[in-house]
Structure formats: C-alpha cells, structure tokens
C-alpha cells in the first residue's frame, strides 16, 4: 500500500526540494501537494511525474492564511484519504525586513553591538498585516493555519497501530526573545517571523504530547525509557573508550 504524504507550500523553495527528495527515497509514494496557487502546483506535479512516473501526485488547493480555505481543503482531504502517513507543515511567509535606524544607532553605543551585528537581532524589523480572519498574517500563515489543518485532519493521523508523523519547518531565526505568551500573534512586536518560528517549535512539542496521549502512551514510562537510554549511552561510551585504550 502506498504511503500518503502531504506537503504544504510544495510549489517552490524548501517544499519543492522536499517533494523531490521524498520521491527519490520512495518513488511509489502518493504525494499530495498542498498549495495556494493551483497553476504553479499543476506545473510542479507535471515535472515530478515526468521524473518519477510510478509515483502518484495529487493536488489540494489551500491557503493557510485563510481559515475558510483550510476548512475546505481539510474536508477534501478527508474524502480522499483514509490516513496520512506524513504531513510536512512547510508553507510560510517572511515579510521583507527593513533596517531599524533607531536600533542601529542605539546599538552602536551599547554592550550588545557585537551581538547585534552578528545576529541582526533587533536591527531588522518586519511589517505585518491583518488577514480577512482578523489575525496577524505571519502568525496565521506560519502557525495558526497549520494548527487548524492538523486539528481538522486528526481522524487521518491518530492511528494507534501506525501513528502518523508531523514535521514542521522551523528556522535558525526562531528566538525565544521574540516570542511572548501575552502576545502570541506578535502584534506589538517588530519581528513576527522569528516569533512565529519559535511558536512553531513550541507547538510541535505540545502537539506531539497531545497526540501521543491519544495513543495510550505513558509519559512516565517514556521518561524512564529515556533515562534508560542515557544510562546505556554512558555504558557504551565507557566500553568504547576502554576498547580504544586497550588497542
């Protein structure tokens, strides 16, 4: 039976590269391209099938910055699939950064000048917008739209015999300092992309815990298993060191 894989933002960039790699690893996948622009998705589908004719490649049109589009696409996917083996939550936006002149001059005369120029933290700002749903655009696209998508697709994901895998695209730019629980949409901040990517990291942990609880996994047992692995790691490292010294 073909494994079913859903990739959001599959028509370009990381998403497209990911689709190509997935088909290299398993050329008989059923790969579903979840894209906002259908004409681009059709072109990508044709190119993928030209190189991997044994694959099954389908399209679902979805704009994760529009909740109605997410609900519609989710309904369509539930009609098409009995399960999804992998879901790659990749679609996202990053507003064009602009130089914060005030931060630049204040940073030049502070102790953080080296950190500022090495990371650009606080030096570049981004202008966000409000969506038709009344949410910050970066937050809805990168975080909340995907959250609603997996909530809607839960019946296709929660199989105790063979659980699905959710894989989020994060970023090196995800910084705790740019995220605030009192302003999860970053409506009062100037670095919405960084905030959204840190939020994605947090959400991936929480969703993993929540879905695992549905599959009757004992957290205490999981923690003890983890500790056992740490002990085994120490033993293996000591054994290897001893062997190296003897030789």
């Amino acid at each position: 039976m073909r494994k079913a894989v859903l990739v959001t933002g599959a028509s370009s960039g990381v998403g497209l590269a990911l689709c190509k790699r997935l088909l290299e690893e398993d050329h008989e996948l059923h790969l579903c391209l979840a894209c906002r622009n259908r004409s681009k998705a059709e072109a990508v589908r044709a190119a993928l099938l030209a190189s991997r004719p044994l694959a099954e490649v389908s399209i679902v049109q979805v704009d994760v910055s529009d909740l109605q589009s997410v609900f519609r696409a989710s309904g369509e996917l539930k009609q098409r699939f009995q399960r999804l083996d992998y879901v790659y939550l990749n679609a996202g936006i990053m507003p064009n950064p602009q130089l914060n002149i005030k931060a630049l001059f204040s940073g030049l005369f502070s102790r953080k000048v080296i950190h500022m120029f090495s990371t650009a933290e606080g030096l570049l700002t981004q202008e966000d917008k409000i969506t038709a749903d009344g949410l910050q655009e970066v937050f809805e696209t990168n975080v909340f739209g995907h959250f609603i998508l997996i909530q809607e697709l839960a019946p296709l994901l929660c199989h105790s015999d063979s659980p699905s895998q959710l894989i989020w695209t994060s970023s090196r730019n995800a910084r705790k300092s740019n995220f605030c629980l009192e302003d999860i949409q970053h409506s009062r901040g100037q670095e919405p992309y960084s905030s959204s990517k840190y939020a994605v990291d947090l959400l991936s942990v929480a969703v993993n815990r929540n879905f695992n609880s549905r599959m009757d996994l004992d957290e205490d047992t999981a923690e003890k298993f983890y500790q056992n692995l740490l002990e085994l790691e120490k033993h293996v490292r000591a054994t290897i060191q001893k062997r190296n010294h003897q030789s």
Side-chain angles (χ1 to χ4, degrees), residues 6-233:
L6 177 71
V7 181
T8 69
S11 61
S12 62
V14 172
L16 177 55
L18 174 62
C19 290
K20 292 178 179 177
R21 181 59 183 271
L22 287 169
L23 290 177
E24 286 176 8
E25 296 293 325
D26 184 351
H27 58 273
E28 293 187 353
L29 283 177
H30 183 164
L31 180 62
C32 184
L33 314 176
C35 303
R36 180 173 55 182
N37 187 312
R38 190 167 191 92
S39 60
K40 284 185 178 181
E42 292 284 3
V44 168
R45 178 180 180 273
L48 292 174
L49 287 174
S51 61
R52 303 290 173 182
L54 294 179
E56 184 174 350
V57 183
S58 60
I59 295 170
V60 63
Q61 189 170 12
V62 61
D63 180 352
V64 286
S65 69
D66 179 349
L67 295 184
Q68 287 300 321
S69 174
V70 173
F71 288 130
R72 184 167 55 250
S74 300
E76 189 175 328
L77 289 167
K78 283 185 281 191
Q79 288 182 340
R80 286 196 216 169
F81 295 95
Q82 292 185 331
R83 65 169 283 116
L84 290 169
D85 296 283
Y86 301 93
V87 178
Y88 289 86
L89 303 158
N90 166 74
I93 59 170
M94 182 176 71
N96 291 327
Q98 299 175 336
L99 181 63
N100 187 330
I101 300 297
K102 183 179 179 181
L104 172 62
F105 281 101
S106 64
L108 286 173
F109 304 100
S110 74
R111 296 178 180 178
K112 296 182 178 180
V113 59
I114 296 176
H115 177 77
M116 180 180 71
F117 281 108
S118 63
T119 66
E121 187 172 353
L123 193 57
L124 300 175
T125 62
Q126 297 165 328
E127 193 170 327
D128 206 353
K129 297 186 291 187
I130 303 295
T131 68
D133 296 310
L135 302 172
Q136 296 294 133
E137 185 178 34
V138 175
F139 170 78
E140 183 168 10
T141 305
N142 297 2
V143 185
F144 196 64
H146 282 118
F147 175 71
I148 294 299
L149 181 66
I150 60 177
Q151 290 291 94
E152 289 293 303
L153 295 180
L156 305 183
L157 307 175
C158 298
H159 292 254
S160 57
D161 57 327
S162 180
S164 306
Q165 292 188 39
L166 304 179
I167 301 96
W168 300 76
T169 299
S170 184
S171 169
R172 292 177 61 188
N173 198 35
R175 296 195 182 99
K176 183 178 180 179
S177 59
N178 288 325
F179 178 81
C180 175
L181 274 175
E182 286 71 40
D183 183 23
I184 61 173
Q185 296 190 50
H186 204 71
S187 59
R188 299 190 297 271
Q190 296 181 313
E191 297 193 44
Y193 181 78
S194 175
S195 174
S196 74
K197 288 302 179 181
Y198 187 77
V200 159
D201 292 345
L202 291 175
L203 184 55
S204 65
V205 173
V207 168
N208 183 59
R209 183 178 301 156
N210 181 266
F211 273 66
N212 283 343
S213 68
R214 300 183 196 182
M215 289 181 283
D216 196 29
L217 290 179
D218 187 331
E219 285 191 21
D220 290 337
T221 302
E223 179 61 23
K224 289 174 183 176
F225 173 61
Y226 176 68
Q227 294 301 325
N228 287 343
L229 288 181
L230 291 177
E231 288 299 317
L232 178 60
E233 178 193 12

